[in-house]
Amino acid sequence: MNSTKYIALNIPSSLADSTVKSRRSLWRWWNQLSRFQRSLFYVGFTSILLMLIYFWPVLEQRRDNISKIALESTPAMQQLPEESALKAAAAEPFGANKVEQQGEAAYDAENEIKQPAAANEAQQVEEPISQKAVRFKGPKNERQKAVAAAMQHAWKGYKKYAWGHDHLKPLSGAYHDWFYLGLTIVDSIDTLYIMNLKKEYLEAKDWVEKSLRFDKNRDVNLFEVTIRVLGGMLSAYHLTGDKIFLGKAMDLGERLLPCFDSPSGVPFSDVNLGNHKAHSPKWSPDSSTSEVTTIQLEFRDLTYSTGDSRFEEAVNKVSEHIHVLPKTEGLVPIFINANTGQFRVFSTITLGARGDSYYEYLLKQWIQTGKKIEYLREDYIEAIQGVQKLLVKRTSKSGLLFIGELQSGARDFKPKMDHLTCYLPGTLALGVHNGMPQDHMKLAEDLLWTCYQTYAQTPTFLAPEITYFQIQDANAADMYIKTNDAHNLLRPEFIESLWYMYQFTGNKTYQDWGWTIFQAFEKYTKVTNGYTSINNVKAPANVKPKDMMESFFLSETLKYFYLLFSDNPKLIDLDEYVFNSEAHPLPISKG
Ligand code: DMJ
């Protein structure tokens, strides 16, 4: 039998009485009003009702905005993006709401392949006129597919064990932080986009949007953060057209500016992003020469992109200052003091660590600014002459050309070459393409061959960090590797040079060299959860993994492999873009 149960409530009679009483008194009050008074009431009530209906959408909008601002000012968590949302977004074509610019769209147009029409014209109108998305269609051949798969493998391990941190430690399944800025993500974004890895790209973008914060009480290195983070954000902005990246670049640029408040204008090496205090490195009163001269492309691009002239002014001042300092045949010592603005006497001259990208950015700044700043061209030409005169030597046995170092204030020559120096053939080829002296190409080809030998002559087919060359004994081997220099950090410089040389010569041998080296990376550095630096390229049976995957492996090494293996010579057009020192492409000024 159904039975309904009730609970008895005893309402105090005083309360019940008072409710009834107040209703009655309201009715009595209404009845006592005159007809005129009641009409006035009706008019007032109806007007309020009409106003409410009219202004309701405005009130709603304001309420939305307030909650949005509140959300934005809530500290973001290191969160992984929603899988389902990302999958749905990844199904959309890149740049569907943007105007195509070049990249593969231009290549397909030349080759009469039809592109789907750009969708959603209404949204196109809202895009800034100067900013168009470049569209990439993904790997086209087996080698490119293998590189894209390597990128996905590296990304997967990073996502699983180091998400939001700077670097992955792939063996221990842990992470490493340096600046606490998610370096691997910000460095990878344009590579993911160029490879058309949509899901991964959207994961990265989502993290940047929700979790990348610069208001941290942390010291960072101006150069490293500029080439990796500022460069990464700017190139992502230029390729995708997404203003999220520009907003981040502006915020960061502002926080880096205090570095330039030194007595000489030469920047201090470090700055606290939270309290904006800049200072020299803890271990020395000096900044590295390559560091203070390898920030110009990025800061200038920030000015071009925002219209705020402070960024370009700061770095122009540095370049102009260094231009007038005394040098050795155009070559610079590797340390400079931010207070005095002078080079450290007796410091080494090298195209390797701490010197390398000074020479690279002389040329690239000249290209970026539309070949208008004459002193940059002159300084570059003088420096390459200085390299040929003072640093280039050949081995006794096979005549291999290499670039050594001058130590003790340009007095002692050391037949030692860092792998970092192998960026030079690419830069020389880029220079010749832009009208620099033709004999630079011969130097580029000879040095490229030697760099290739630093790979080919090890049993792993991977180059060591540093190689020594034999210049006194014609019977001894051309090169030797000291035990402490036998590590390989997954660096990009040689692959970078192969790409430039292939771009400007069309010689497919360079692709084949690259492919052999890519396979060596696969064999000796690939592990279950990513790729690892190794300690010994001389011991194939035990390469001694270092348990570290640097962000430049994804930003540079894999990107240059992918570009090198492309069938499309204009996948990224070197007449439109100049690559920064971390492989982030930035537009060349046409103004
Ligand atoms: C990168 O961070 C940059 O290429 C830098 O200019 C030099 N070293 C590493 C890669 O080897």
Side-chain angles (χ1 to χ4, degrees):
M1 201 179 109
N2 279 342
S3 70
T4 312
K5 293 185 178 156
Y6 297 97
I7 298 170
L9 279 180
N10 283 329
I11 300 173
S13 59
S14 58
L15 189 65
D17 280 348
S18 72
T19 316
V20 174
K21 270 181 196 161
S22 67
R23 265 199 219 134
R24 275 192 200 138
S25 63
L26 200 66
W27 182 242
R28 200 174 301 140
W29 170 80
W30 178 253
N31 281 334
Q32 281 169 357
L33 293 179
S34 69
R35 188 173 289 174
F36 176 68
Q37 284 171 320
R38 283 191 207 161
S39 307
L40 267 183
F41 179 84
Y42 285 135
V43 171
F45 182 78
T46 318
S47 322
I48 289 170
L49 200 68
L50 286 173
M51 273 163 65
L52 267 179
I53 292 170
Y54 183 75
F55 286 112
W56 189 250
V58 180
L59 292 171
E60 276 285 281
Q61 180 67 42
R62 282 195 63 183
R63 212 175 52 190
D64 274 353
N65 286 346
I66 289 165
S67 47
K68 204 167 152 201
I69 291 165
L71 263 181
E72 279 169 1
S73 55
T74 308
M77 291 167 53
Q78 305 275 315
Q79 54 192 349
L80 279 171
E82 283 279 339
E83 203 66 18
S84 56
L86 290 171
K87 272 189 190 148
E92 293 293 315
F94 274 151
N97 62 341
K98 312 268 170 52
V99 184
E100 288 170 9
Q101 193 182 22
Q102 50 169 58
E104 294 193 88
Y107 174 70
D108 287 347
E110 275 169 29
N111 292 277
E112 292 182 1
I113 299 169
K114 277 205 166 166
Q115 293 289 332
N120 200 345
E121 290 188 4
Q123 286 192 39
Q124 280 185 29
V125 179
E126 288 173 20
E127 291 299 321
I129 291 165
S130 60
Q131 196 51 55
K132 300 166 182 175
V134 185
R135 203 145 126 195
F136 297 94
K137 292 164 78 185
K140 290 275 179 57
N141 57 46
E142 291 311 310
R143 289 178 177 182
Q144 277 194 312
K145 280 181 195 159
V147 179
M151 185 74 186
Q152 282 178 302
H153 179 71
W155 186 257
K156 199 171 152 205
Y158 171 77
K159 190 175 151 190
K160 189 165 175 193
Y161 293 109
W163 188 250
H165 296 278
D166 286 340
H167 294 127
L168 167 70
K169 290 165 76 70
L171 293 180
S172 48
Y175 54 79
H176 165 258
D177 275 311
W178 187 13
F179 305 131
Y180 298 83
L181 293 173
L183 284 187
T184 297
I185 301 178
V186 293
D187 236 359
S188 295
I189 291 182
D190 56 5
T191 308
L192 295 168
Y193 188 79
I194 290 166
M195 292 180 181
N196 201 25
L197 296 174
K198 293 174 190 166
K199 180 173 160 289
E200 291 82 356
Y201 164 74
L202 290 166
E203 287 166 352
K205 184 184 132 180
D206 191 74
W207 184 85
V208 166
E209 191 172 3
K210 294 182 180 147
S211 304
L212 179 57
R213 303 284 302 252
F214 300 119
D215 53 348
K216 299 177 176 188
N217 183 23
R218 288 208 176 274
D219 281 0
V220 301
N221 174 279
L222 168 68
F223 156 76
E224 294 289 358
V225 166
T226 297
I227 62 168
R228 296 182 201 226
V229 188
L230 192 54
M233 291 297 96
L234 287 169
S235 105
Y237 166 61
H238 291 299
L239 294 179
T240 68
D242 198 321
K243 281 187 157 181
I244 285 166
F245 302 119
L246 182 60
K248 297 289 177 184
M250 284 162 70
D251 183 9
L252 177 59
E254 192 75 42
R255 292 169 191 275
L256 295 176
L257 271 181
C259 282
F260 298 89
D261 292 335
S262 72
S264 69
V266 171
F268 291 116
S269 63
D270 295 87
V271 64
N272 184 301
L273 291 179
N275 67 24
H276 300 202
K277 283 195 184 129
H279 55 87
S280 306
K282 294 211 171 79
W283 47 272
S284 155
D286 298 333
S287 302
S288 299
T289 304
S290 68
E291 293 194 357
V292 302
T293 53
T294 310
I295 48 181
Q296 281 70 10
L297 293 184
E298 300 79 358
F299 274 75
R300 193 175 287 115
D301 188 70
L302 191 53
T303 285
Y304 292 171
S305 302
T306 61
D308 185 335
S309 61
R310 289 173 304 152
F311 305 109
E312 181 175 29
E313 279 163 15
V315 292
N316 276 353
K317 198 171 155 199
V318 183
S319 292
E320 284 156 15
H321 175 88
I322 304 241
H323 164 63
V324 296
L325 288 181
K327 307 182 182 68
T328 306
E329 308 272 350
L331 307 175
V332 291
I334 57 172
F335 290 111
I336 186 163
N337 190 293
N339 289 308
T340 64
Q342 299 301 308
F343 288 125
R344 190 199 290 178
V345 208
F346 298 126
S347 58
T348 301
I349 289 174
T350 173
L351 268 79
R354 303 188 189 284
D356 49 1
S357 41
Y358 160 71
Y359 308 95
E360 175 189 353
Y361 268 37
L362 283 178
L363 176 75
K364 289 183 173 177
Q365 285 190 75
W366 179 68
I367 293 172
Q368 180 195 35
T369 50
K371 305 182 189 172
K372 292 196 187 96
I373 306 180
E374 188 54 17
Y375 79 81
L376 292 170
R377 191 184 77 87
E378 288 167 4
D379 287 0
Y380 176 75
I381 291 179
E382 192 190 348
I384 301 304
Q385 272 169 2
V387 168
Q388 285 170 319
K389 186 169 167 193
L390 299 175
L391 303 183
V392 164
K393 291 247 188 298
R394 288 188 182 268
T395 58
S396 313
K397 189 177 179 198
S398 316
L400 286 182
L401 180 147
F402 68 95
I403 296 183
E405 295 182 352
L406 287 175
Q407 298 187 333
S408 315
R411 278 202 294 263
D412 301 333
F413 180 82
K414 218 174 177 194
K416 159 186 179 267
M417 188 168 86
D418 293 350
H419 181 275
L420 289 167
T421 306
C422 290
Y423 81 92
L424 190 65
T427 297
L428 290 168
L430 178 67
V432 172
H433 175 72
N434 284 281
M436 291 293 173
Q438 197 60 40
D439 66 311
H440 288 192
M441 203 60 186
K442 177 79 178 99
L443 175 59
E445 279 164 3
D446 288 356
L447 182 59
L448 193 77
W449 172 249
T450 304
C451 287
Y452 179 60
Q453 292 307 313
T454 64
Y455 284 78
Q457 293 194 20
T458 70
T460 54
F461 225 99
L462 291 173
E465 177 73 357
I466 297 170
T467 303
Y468 283 82
F469 294 86
Q470 178 57 254
I471 51 173
Q472 278 160 359
D473 184 353
N475 296 314
D478 288 307
M479 312 181 222
Y480 58 100
I481 304 164
K482 296 187 178 176
T483 308
N484 283 345
D485 304 333
H487 47 291
N488 180 301
L489 304 182
L490 312 172
R491 285 197 192 276
E493 290 75 19
F494 179 59
I495 312 307
E496 169 185 352
S497 279
L498 283 180
W499 175 58
Y500 280 104
M501 291 292 280
Y502 174 61
Q503 284 289 291
F504 300 127
T505 65
N507 184 347
K508 288 185 181 295
T509 301
Y510 300 140
Q511 287 184 314
D512 295 340
W513 289 358
W515 180 240
T516 312
I517 293 167
F518 177 76
Q519 287 171 305
F521 276 121
E522 288 288 288
K523 186 165 177 190
Y524 293 107
T525 70
K526 186 174 183 179
V527 291
T528 309
N529 294 309
Y531 290 81
T532 178
S533 299
I534 55 173
N535 259 317
N536 194 356
V537 297
K538 297 193 283 184
N542 180 12
V543 290
K544 295 192 187 152
K546 278 170 77 81
D547 195 17
M548 177 59 71
M549 185 175 80
E550 293 267 2
S551 70
F552 54 66
F553 178 64
L554 293 86
S555 160
E556 299 193 66
T557 312
L558 291 179
K559 186 186 285 145
Y560 285 128
F561 270 129
Y562 186 84
L563 294 173
L564 172 66
F565 299 143
S566 173
D567 304 316
N568 171 7
K570 301 245 170 186
L571 187 60
I572 295 190
D573 189 344
L574 285 169
D575 291 322
E576 300 289 333
Y577 292 92
V578 61
F579 280 62
N580 87 338
S581 201
E582 189 79 0
H584 297 303
L586 303 172
I588 293 172
S589 167
K590 301 287 176 193

PDB file of all heavy atoms in Angstrom, residues 312-326:
ATOM      1  N   GLU A 312      63.960  48.703 -30.186  1.00  0.00           N
ATOM      2  CA  GLU A 312      64.967  48.852 -31.236  1.00  0.00           C
ATOM      3  C   GLU A 312      66.051  49.849 -30.807  1.00  0.00           C
ATOM      4  O   GLU A 312      67.248  49.612 -31.027  1.00  0.00           O
ATOM      5  CB  GLU A 312      64.311  49.321 -32.534  1.00  0.00           C
ATOM      6  CG  GLU A 312      65.327  49.458 -33.654  1.00  0.00           C
ATOM      7  CD  GLU A 312      64.725  49.811 -35.005  1.00  0.00           C
ATOM      8  OE1 GLU A 312      63.668  50.472 -35.028  1.00  0.00           O
ATOM      9  OE2 GLU A 312      65.319  49.443 -36.022  1.00  0.00           O
ATOM     10  N   GLU A 313      65.651  50.932 -30.174  1.00  0.00           N
ATOM     11  CA  GLU A 313      66.631  51.948 -29.752  1.00  0.00           C
ATOM     12  C   GLU A 313      67.681  51.335 -28.826  1.00  0.00           C
ATOM     13  O   GLU A 313      68.878  51.590 -28.965  1.00  0.00           O
ATOM     14  CB  GLU A 313      65.915  53.103 -29.040  1.00  0.00           C
ATOM     15  CG  GLU A 313      65.300  54.089 -30.022  1.00  0.00           C
ATOM     16  CD  GLU A 313      64.250  54.986 -29.360  1.00  0.00           C
ATOM     17  OE1 GLU A 313      64.202  55.046 -28.100  1.00  0.00           O
ATOM     18  OE2 GLU A 313      63.476  55.588 -30.110  1.00  0.00           O
ATOM     19  N   ALA A 314      67.193  50.514 -27.885  1.00  0.00           N
ATOM     20  CA  ALA A 314      68.128  49.921 -26.908  1.00  0.00           C
ATOM     21  C   ALA A 314      69.174  49.060 -27.609  1.00  0.00           C
ATOM     22  O   ALA A 314      70.369  49.153 -27.311  1.00  0.00           O
ATOM     23  CB  ALA A 314      67.353  49.094 -25.885  1.00  0.00           C
ATOM     24  N   VAL A 315      68.737  48.222 -28.548  1.00  0.00           N
ATOM     25  CA  VAL A 315      69.713  47.301 -29.164  1.00  0.00           C
ATOM     26  C   VAL A 315      70.541  47.982 -30.255  1.00  0.00           C
ATOM     27  O   VAL A 315      71.696  47.601 -30.480  1.00  0.00           O
ATOM     28  CB  VAL A 315      69.051  46.005 -29.712  1.00  0.00           C
ATOM     29  CG1 VAL A 315      68.536  45.160 -28.572  1.00  0.00           C
ATOM     30  CG2 VAL A 315      67.959  46.301 -30.727  1.00  0.00           C
ATOM     31  N   ASN A 316      69.986  48.988 -30.899  1.00  0.00           N
ATOM     32  CA  ASN A 316      70.798  49.748 -31.870  1.00  0.00           C
ATOM     33  C   ASN A 316      71.993  50.374 -31.182  1.00  0.00           C
ATOM     34  O   ASN A 316      73.102  50.402 -31.706  1.00  0.00           O
ATOM     35  CB  ASN A 316      69.965  50.860 -32.520  1.00  0.00           C
ATOM     36  CG  ASN A 316      69.153  50.335 -33.696  1.00  0.00           C
ATOM     37  OD1 ASN A 316      69.313  49.184 -34.085  1.00  0.00           O
ATOM     38  ND2 ASN A 316      68.299  51.164 -34.252  1.00  0.00           N
ATOM     39  N   LYS A 317      71.726  50.895 -29.973  1.00  0.00           N
ATOM     40  CA  LYS A 317      72.786  51.562 -29.215  1.00  0.00           C
ATOM     41  C   LYS A 317      73.939  50.573 -28.934  1.00  0.00           C
ATOM     42  O   LYS A 317      75.118  50.934 -29.033  1.00  0.00           O
ATOM     43  CB  LYS A 317      72.186  52.078 -27.899  1.00  0.00           C
ATOM     44  CG  LYS A 317      73.019  53.122 -27.225  1.00  0.00           C
ATOM     45  CD  LYS A 317      72.256  53.736 -26.051  1.00  0.00           C
ATOM     46  CE  LYS A 317      73.252  54.277 -25.041  1.00  0.00           C
ATOM     47  NZ  LYS A 317      72.678  54.484 -23.719  1.00  0.00           N
ATOM     48  N   VAL A 318      73.583  49.329 -28.626  1.00  0.00           N
ATOM     49  CA  VAL A 318      74.614  48.313 -28.348  1.00  0.00           C
ATOM     50  C   VAL A 318      75.434  48.046 -29.612  1.00  0.00           C
ATOM     51  O   VAL A 318      76.675  48.054 -29.586  1.00  0.00           O
ATOM     52  CB  VAL A 318      73.979  46.982 -27.864  1.00  0.00           C
ATOM     53  CG1 VAL A 318      75.065  45.965 -27.510  1.00  0.00           C
ATOM     54  CG2 VAL A 318      73.063  47.213 -26.685  1.00  0.00           C
ATOM     55  N   SER A 319      74.739  47.828 -30.727  1.00  0.00           N
ATOM     56  CA  SER A 319      75.453  47.522 -31.985  1.00  0.00           C
ATOM     57  C   SER A 319      76.370  48.681 -32.368  1.00  0.00           C
ATOM     58  O   SER A 319      77.512  48.462 -32.788  1.00  0.00           O
ATOM     59  CB  SER A 319      74.452  47.277 -33.119  1.00  0.00           C
ATOM     60  OG  SER A 319      73.751  46.096 -32.878  1.00  0.00           O
ATOM     61  N   GLU A 320      75.858  49.899 -32.236  1.00  0.00           N
ATOM     62  CA  GLU A 320      76.673  51.075 -32.616  1.00  0.00           C
ATOM     63  C   GLU A 320      77.893  51.201 -31.702  1.00  0.00           C
ATOM     64  O   GLU A 320      78.988  51.533 -32.148  1.00  0.00           O
ATOM     65  CB  GLU A 320      75.816  52.346 -32.553  1.00  0.00           C
ATOM     66  CG  GLU A 320      74.868  52.452 -33.752  1.00  0.00           C
ATOM     67  CD  GLU A 320      73.639  53.305 -33.481  1.00  0.00           C
ATOM     68  OE1 GLU A 320      73.634  54.055 -32.471  1.00  0.00           O
ATOM     69  OE2 GLU A 320      72.676  53.214 -34.266  1.00  0.00           O
ATOM     70  N   HIS A 321      77.692  50.910 -30.422  1.00  0.00           N
ATOM     71  CA  HIS A 321      78.792  50.987 -29.468  1.00  0.00           C
ATOM     72  C   HIS A 321      79.878  49.968 -29.830  1.00  0.00           C
ATOM     73  O   HIS A 321      81.073  50.294 -29.879  1.00  0.00           O
ATOM     74  CB  HIS A 321      78.261  50.722 -28.055  1.00  0.00           C
ATOM     75  CG  HIS A 321      79.327  50.658 -27.015  1.00  0.00           C
ATOM     76  ND1 HIS A 321      79.783  51.771 -26.348  1.00  0.00           N
ATOM     77  CD2 HIS A 321      80.059  49.619 -26.549  1.00  0.00           C
ATOM     78  CE1 HIS A 321      80.737  51.416 -25.504  1.00  0.00           C
ATOM     79  NE2 HIS A 321      80.916  50.120 -25.612  1.00  0.00           N
ATOM     80  N   ILE A 322      79.474  48.730 -30.101  1.00  0.00           N
ATOM     81  CA  ILE A 322      80.455  47.676 -30.395  1.00  0.00           C
ATOM     82  C   ILE A 322      81.156  47.986 -31.725  1.00  0.00           C
ATOM     83  O   ILE A 322      82.349  47.691 -31.888  1.00  0.00           O
ATOM     84  CB  ILE A 322      79.759  46.301 -30.437  1.00  0.00           C
ATOM     85  CG1 ILE A 322      79.050  46.089 -29.115  1.00  0.00           C
ATOM     86  CG2 ILE A 322      80.742  45.184 -30.828  1.00  0.00           C
ATOM     87  CD1 ILE A 322      79.417  44.969 -28.277  1.00  0.00           C
ATOM     88  N   HIS A 323      80.424  48.579 -32.629  1.00  0.00           N
ATOM     89  CA  HIS A 323      81.005  48.913 -33.933  1.00  0.00           C
ATOM     90  C   HIS A 323      82.260  49.792 -33.781  1.00  0.00           C
ATOM     91  O   HIS A 323      83.253  49.583 -34.491  1.00  0.00           O
ATOM     92  CB  HIS A 323      79.947  49.615 -34.784  1.00  0.00           C
ATOM     93  CG  HIS A 323      80.498  50.342 -35.959  1.00  0.00           C
ATOM     94  ND1 HIS A 323      81.153  49.694 -36.992  1.00  0.00           N
ATOM     95  CD2 HIS A 323      80.519  51.667 -36.274  1.00  0.00           C
ATOM     96  CE1 HIS A 323      81.549  50.580 -37.887  1.00  0.00           C
ATOM     97  NE2 HIS A 323      81.189  51.779 -37.473  1.00  0.00           N
ATOM     98  N   VAL A 324      82.227  50.733 -32.845  1.00  0.00           N
ATOM     99  CA  VAL A 324      83.365  51.658 -32.737  1.00  0.00           C
ATOM    100  C   VAL A 324      84.485  51.166 -31.805  1.00  0.00           C
ATOM    101  O   VAL A 324      85.532  51.801 -31.707  1.00  0.00           O
ATOM    102  CB  VAL A 324      82.917  53.084 -32.299  1.00  0.00           C
ATOM    103  CG1 VAL A 324      82.028  53.704 -33.358  1.00  0.00           C
ATOM    104  CG2 VAL A 324      82.224  53.049 -30.955  1.00  0.00           C
ATOM    105  N   LEU A 325      84.282  50.043 -31.139  1.00  0.00           N
ATOM    106  CA  LEU A 325      85.349  49.532 -30.255  1.00  0.00           C
ATOM    107  C   LEU A 325      86.511  48.984 -31.091  1.00  0.00           C
ATOM    108  O   LEU A 325      86.301  48.443 -32.178  1.00  0.00           O
ATOM    109  CB  LEU A 325      84.804  48.410 -29.365  1.00  0.00           C
ATOM    110  CG  LEU A 325      83.843  48.789 -28.244  1.00  0.00           C
ATOM    111  CD1 LEU A 325      83.450  47.539 -27.462  1.00  0.00           C
ATOM    112  CD2 LEU A 325      84.467  49.817 -27.301  1.00  0.00           C
ATOM    113  N   PRO A 326      87.761  49.090 -30.572  1.00  0.00           N
ATOM    114  CA  PRO A 326      88.892  48.509 -31.306  1.00  0.00           C
ATOM    115  C   PRO A 326      88.808  46.985 -31.350  1.00  0.00           C
ATOM    116  O   PRO A 326      88.402  46.355 -30.371  1.00  0.00           O
ATOM    117  CB  PRO A 326      90.108  48.967 -30.488  1.00  0.00           C
ATOM    118  CG  PRO A 326      89.582  49.449 -29.190  1.00  0.00           C
ATOM    119  CD  PRO A 326      88.140  49.778 -29.346  1.00  0.00           C
TER     120      PRO A 326
END
